[in-house]
Amino acid sequence: MRRLLVVLLVMVIAFASISTAYGQVPDMQITPFFVSVSRYVNSFDIDESGNAAFTLKVKPFNTEQLTEVKAIVKIVNATTGVISYNRTLNLPYSELYAQYKVSDSCILNRPGIYEFQVTYKCYGNGVLLETITANPQLDSF
């Protein structure tokens, strides 16, 4: 009886080692969402008199890599599709805040719902590094 138990135990151990699976850990790298930009912030507000004001901020990972930021800014009436503001702005670098920043405003002629659209073009020594399209923001007056 004892021999039978020993033989069964040896068989169980042998079969258990056959079915053992050894997995391989995948080589995963965590990379940032953007190549040259750490983060960006858009603020957009329309007051009760129709003055639309906005501020754009872009914080680079490295100022040696990111040397110029341009923003294509549009303010569009969401119901009619009429473009009230359409400009390409250069964002100057602020040493104090270690970011590229610009503010501007315009007067909107008609009440309604307006969509604020921004696309950033990020350059390193004249070469386009990346294009970032921000999520549109809505505001009304």
Side-chain angles (χ1 to χ4, degrees):
M1 182 72 176
R2 193 177 254 190
R3 264 193 218 174
L4 183 62
L5 285 175
V6 170
V7 171
L8 285 174
L9 182 61
V10 169
M11 288 177 57
V12 167
I13 292 172
F15 286 125
S17 65
I18 291 172
S19 65
T20 302
Y22 296 98
Q24 183 177 4
V25 177
D27 183 22
M28 296 181 63
Q29 292 182 344
I30 299 173
T31 58
F33 192 67
F34 302 118
V35 175
S36 59
V37 173
S38 171
R39 65 183 167 93
Y40 67 91
V41 177
N42 306 329
S43 64
F44 175 62
D45 184 55
I46 304 173
D47 64 17
E48 60 276 350
S49 62
N51 184 31
F54 61 87
T55 300
L56 310 174
K57 299 175 187 176
V58 175
K59 184 153 183 83
F61 281 124
N62 183 337
T63 55
E64 293 173 4
Q65 179 186 16
L66 184 65
T67 57
E68 182 182 13
V69 177
K70 293 183 180 186
I72 301 165
V73 180
K74 291 182 183 179
I75 300 175
V76 181
N77 188 311
T79 53
T80 65
V82 174
I83 299 172
S84 299
Y85 185 95
N86 185 11
R87 291 192 186 148
T88 300
L89 304 172
N90 288 322
L91 280 71
Y93 185 73
S94 168
E95 293 284 340
L96 179 64
Y97 297 108
Q99 65 186 1
Y100 293 88
K101 179 181 175 182
V102 70
S103 297
D104 201 3
S105 64
C106 71
I107 302 293
L108 302 173
N109 297 329
R110 296 184 179 160
I113 300 171
Y114 287 86
E115 184 177 72
F116 180 65
Q117 304 170 356
V118 181
T119 301
Y120 294 103
K121 301 280 186 176
C122 303
Y123 297 90
N125 297 321
V127 176
L128 181 64
L129 299 175
E130 64 186 328
T131 301
I132 302 169
T133 302
N135 290 330
Q137 296 175 332
L138 295 174
D139 201 356
S140 62
F141 85 99

